[in-house]
Amino acid sequence: MSNKKGNLTLKDLAKIVGVSPATASLALADDPRVSAKTKEMVEEAARRLNYVPNEIGRSLRAKRAETIALIFPNTPHNAFSHPYFVELLEGVTEVLVQKGFHLLVSTAPTEQNEQAAYDKIMRNRRADGIILWPASINDSNISRIVESGFPVVYLGKWHHNDVITVERDDYGGAYLATEHLLQAGRRRIAHITGPMEFQVSIDRLDGYRKALEDYKVLYDPSLVVTADYTMESGVAAVHELIGRGIPFDGLFSSNDRMAIGAMKALGAAGISIPDEVAIVGCDNIEMASMTVPALTTIHQSLRTIGTVAATKIIDLLSGQEVGDKQTIIPAELIVRESSRVN
Amino acid sequence: MSNKKGNLTLKDLAKIVGVSPATASLALADDPRVSAKTKEMVEEAARRLNYVPNEIGRSLRAKRAETIALIFPNTPHNAFSHPYFVELLEGVTEVLVQKGFHLLVSTAPTEQNEQAAYDKIMRNRRADGIILWPASINDSNISRIVESGFPVVYLGKWHHNDVITVERDDYGGAYLATEHLLQAGRRRIAHITGPMEFQVSIDRLDGYRKALEDYKVLYDPSLVVTADYTMESGVAAVHELIGRGIPFDGLFSSNDRMAIGAMKALGAAGISIPDEVAIVGCDNIEMASMTVPALTTIHQSLRTIGTVAATKIIDLLSGQEVGDKQTIIPAELIVRESSRVN
DNA sequence: CTTCGCATTTAAATCGATTTAATTAACACA
DNA sequence: TGTGTTAATTAAATCGATTTAAATGCGAAG
């Protein structure tokens, strides 16, 4: 615990053992040129004195920081994705810790600061690679990073397939959800979608349509209503649907919050769930298991995305084979009461 | 964007301008010894060539990493606190970014790895200071860090008051919640508490008791039931209370999940909320605003805790006055339908 | 024409670890 | 005893920026 003035340095350690710093360094690296006896002496002293190498010095020499930066733009736009962030973080750290890497978390408070902040991270050598958590499509700052050639793993879809990406399967999840309703015998399935600025909205709408098509159910635009991913907008969406006077016996919502709003509105209208309308949401937020009836939903393992992304960026840095450049983590259907066939 | 082989170094910059590295360094640091003309030349070139200093080199020389580590033990125990972690992260990064600091997020996958992981962070000079997010009381690893003398801000209560701490006011929040019920005229107020291993359970129970005392209401142990912070345990707790046959007109739960479970159980038992039993939870989880009726609760600003903690650790490092060593962030009552006086 | 003082500039050391190239030691063999 | 070979060790350079101490240039004063 000698935290008096400075830490024990390699030079100190070498002097104590009675060898040169070069020998001490080689000994700790288990270099074959160092004799077994010397190695043992150095290792013993290092253990005894609790020698911990100064990684700043090491990084300077090695030109590597053994650090990955996880960047997420801190804009209001991506606020709705926060609940999953911790899960992602867990997956990423799990791998990094195991590989001896550090994690630098970076976020820019304002849009105008973003560019400078990202630029700095790429050029100041604090991190060797970046995992990018995108806010939305069309983000010029993200384009700059991805196209700069700096080692990057992008969490989402990117328009050049030489970029390494790891993404959720929003399309496949929506397909699963819709198929589940179809298999339960529902044929008039409504869909609450989100704003089309978000790729997720587009993908889930597409998955919904594809399932209908595969089951030979005609796509009816009047069964689709747009909302904004809040619970309140889910309530409004159901009012809109009911107002249109078109009957429906199933409902797939582009997220759980809107699905919960929809359940409230249906309940208030005296429509029973799942008997009259079966409901499936998306995201598997904690609340989904606690509603009455509990909400059937689509789960995406952000944890898996984190572990895969971290593994890929490290493989990329160490020159190993990265495998598939594009990875899609499959979605999973979680069946609960809101769609249970009685 | 010259990312060809290596980055532009200070030496390169100096050569281009036609001065020595020393002059270039002093010029960029705006040292009075450098002439205005030279300064202008160096600055112009730095801007034009997009020179970004290598922070590893700078750190080595300065013996400072300009980095704060945020450490949270990744044990199952603290899983229930996850939803707030992102909020804390936001608060911390807001301050760090503004002060030009970096954030290293560290977590240890297993208990046995913890000690080594923390030791490393303290000794390898990757971070200058630590913000500690504790899992539970009685954690020997945390003790080691706090007592090592390494600059630390501890997020919670610590038994030596020379340690800098920032904490939520669990006691005050519970007092607020109970007082709110008392002011609504309730006198038989039940309490669902959590396991006594957690300081939060103890503090909230104490706040509840103090409010009762101040309002001259006798504390009745048979109105208190222990659960484990899950929704299911909240359901069970109400069954237990009803089973005891002791009437109650108010209920304060040590967290929102149990409160929501309690609401479910009361609803199932045909007891109306808030007319027959008014309910207050704790934590203001997202779900609390979405239940029917919406849940009155206590909000603790983790964001504020983050900003205060970050400010204090930086002040501590820069040798500035840190102010109060112990800071308690006040809790806030959020009144919703579950306790609304009709 | 020196010499002193002041304003600028720069050479060199430093931070801590790694690695290359050079040196020393040790031993076998002629 | 001298020489060649291998094994083990170490001196020195390096990474990039900062900072101290030394050097330089220039004009003014004697």
Side-chain angles (χ1 to χ4, degrees), chain A residues 95-136:
Chain A
V95 174
L96 294 191
V97 165
Q98 191 217 320
K99 304 263 188 178
F101 271 68
H102 297 277
L103 176 66
L104 208 55
V105 169
S106 174
T107 173
T110 63
E111 292 263 357
Q112 56 264 46
N113 289 6
E114 269 186 32
Q115 179 173 319
Y118 299 162
D119 240 38
K120 261 192 87 173
I121 287 196
M122 288 193 289
R123 324 268 329 279
N124 70 8
R125 313 303 321 170
R126 265 254 144 71
D128 307 319
I130 290 178
I131 296 176
L132 259 183
W133 168 276
S136 65

Side-chain angles (χ1 to χ4, degrees), chain A residues 44-236:
Chain A
E44 184 277 326
R47 256 195 316 276
R48 179 165 47 84
L49 303 169
N50 194 17
Y51 166 71
V52 177
N54 179 319
E55 292 197 18
I56 299 288
R58 193 206 291 259
S59 291
L60 180 61
R61 172 70 220 226
K63 286 168 157 283
R64 281 180 294 105
E66 305 273 88
T67 300
I68 302 297
L70 174 58
I71 299 185
F72 67 112
N74 187 14
T75 61
H77 288 300
N78 77 327
F80 67 86
S81 52
H82 273 179
Y84 321 112
F85 187 75
V86 173
E87 240 192 281
L88 176 76
L89 209 57
E90 277 183 6
V92 170
T93 52
E94 180 190 315
V95 174
L96 294 191
V97 165
Q98 191 217 320
K99 304 263 188 178
F101 271 68
H102 297 277
L103 176 66
L104 208 55
V105 169
S106 174
T107 173
T110 63
E111 292 263 357
Q112 56 264 46
N113 289 6
E114 269 186 32
Q115 179 173 319
Y118 299 162
D119 240 38
K120 261 192 87 173
I121 287 196
M122 288 193 289
R123 324 268 329 279
N124 70 8
R125 313 303 321 170
R126 265 254 144 71
D128 307 319
I130 290 178
I131 296 176
L132 259 183
W133 168 276
S136 65
I137 48 180
N138 292 345
D139 186 329
S140 69
N141 292 322
I142 290 184
S143 299
R144 280 174 45 86
I145 298 178
V146 168
E147 285 156 12
S148 71
F150 197 86
V152 160
V153 168
Y154 183 86
L155 304 182
K157 211 184 295 296
W158 193 255
H159 43 75
H160 283 140
N161 58 7
D162 53 341
V163 173
I164 299 178
T165 62
V166 182
E167 53 179 315
R168 325 180 292 203
D169 191 4
D170 287 327
Y171 174 88
Y175 187 98
L176 272 183
T178 311
E179 181 177 50
H180 169 66
L181 291 169
L182 289 162
Q183 288 179 342
R186 311 298 163 131
R187 282 299 174 274
R188 299 205 48 78
I189 300 172
H191 177 46
I192 305 179
T193 181
M196 286 299 136
E197 297 97 274
F198 301 122
Q199 186 65 40
V200 52
S201 310
I202 297 170
D203 292 343
R204 286 179 176 162
L205 176 59
D206 287 350
Y208 159 79
R209 293 189 61 166
K210 184 62 162 70
L212 292 180
E213 187 187 322
D214 286 357
Y215 279 75
K216 315 268 187 266
V217 174
L218 195 68
Y219 167 66
D220 180 356
S222 61
L223 280 173
V224 176
V225 53
T226 301
D228 66 5
Y229 285 122
T230 63
M231 189 190 69
E232 291 74 20
S233 75
V235 173

Side-chain angles (χ1 to χ4, degrees), chain A residues 1-3 7-8 49-57 59-60 64-67 72 74 82 85-86 89-90 93 97 102-105 107 109 119-126 144 148 150 231 257 260 264 285-287 289-292 303, chain B residues 1-3 7-8 49-57 59-60 64-67 72 74 82 85-86 89-90 93 97 102-105 107 109 119-126 144 148 150 231 257 260 264 285-287 289-292 303:
Chain A
M1 243 63 52
S2 67
N3 217 311
N7 272 339
L8 185 76
L49 303 169
N50 194 17
Y51 166 71
V52 177
N54 179 319
E55 292 197 18
I56 299 288
S59 291
L60 180 61
R64 281 180 294 105
E66 305 273 88
T67 300
F72 67 112
N74 187 14
H82 273 179
F85 187 75
V86 173
L89 209 57
E90 277 183 6
T93 52
V97 165
H102 297 277
L103 176 66
L104 208 55
V105 169
T107 173
D119 240 38
K120 261 192 87 173
I121 287 196
M122 288 193 289
R123 324 268 329 279
N124 70 8
R125 313 303 321 170
R126 265 254 144 71
R144 280 174 45 86
S148 71
F150 197 86
M231 189 190 69
R257 283 192 191 80
I260 290 168
K264 279 194 186 186
I285 65 178
E286 188 193 14
M287 202 181 337
S289 65
M290 302 192 179
T291 53
V292 185
R303 193 171 215 299
Chain B
M1 242 64 46
S2 66
N3 219 313
N7 271 338
L8 185 76
L49 303 169
N50 194 17
Y51 167 71
V52 178
N54 179 318
E55 293 197 17
I56 301 288
S59 291
L60 179 60
R64 282 180 292 109
E66 306 271 87
T67 299
F72 67 112
N74 188 14
H82 273 181
F85 187 75
V86 174
L89 210 58
E90 277 183 6
T93 52
V97 165
H102 296 278
L103 176 66
L104 209 56
V105 170
T107 174
D119 240 38
K120 262 192 85 175
I121 285 197
M122 289 193 288
R123 324 263 335 276
N124 70 10
R125 313 304 320 171
R126 262 257 147 68
R144 281 175 43 86
S148 72
F150 197 85
M231 189 190 69
R257 282 192 191 79
I260 289 168
K264 280 195 185 185
I285 64 178
E286 188 193 13
M287 202 181 336
S289 65
M290 302 192 179
T291 53
V292 185
R303 193 171 218 295

Side-chain angles (χ1 to χ4, degrees), chain B residues 42-82:
Chain B
V42 173
E43 280 162 3
E44 184 277 328
R47 255 195 316 275
R48 179 164 48 84
L49 303 169
N50 194 17
Y51 167 71
V52 178
N54 179 318
E55 293 197 17
I56 301 288
R58 195 208 290 263
S59 291
L60 179 60
R61 171 71 219 228
K63 286 168 155 285
R64 282 180 292 109
E66 306 271 87
T67 299
I68 301 299
L70 174 58
I71 299 186
F72 67 112
N74 188 14
T75 63
H77 287 299
N78 77 331
F80 67 85
S81 52
H82 273 181

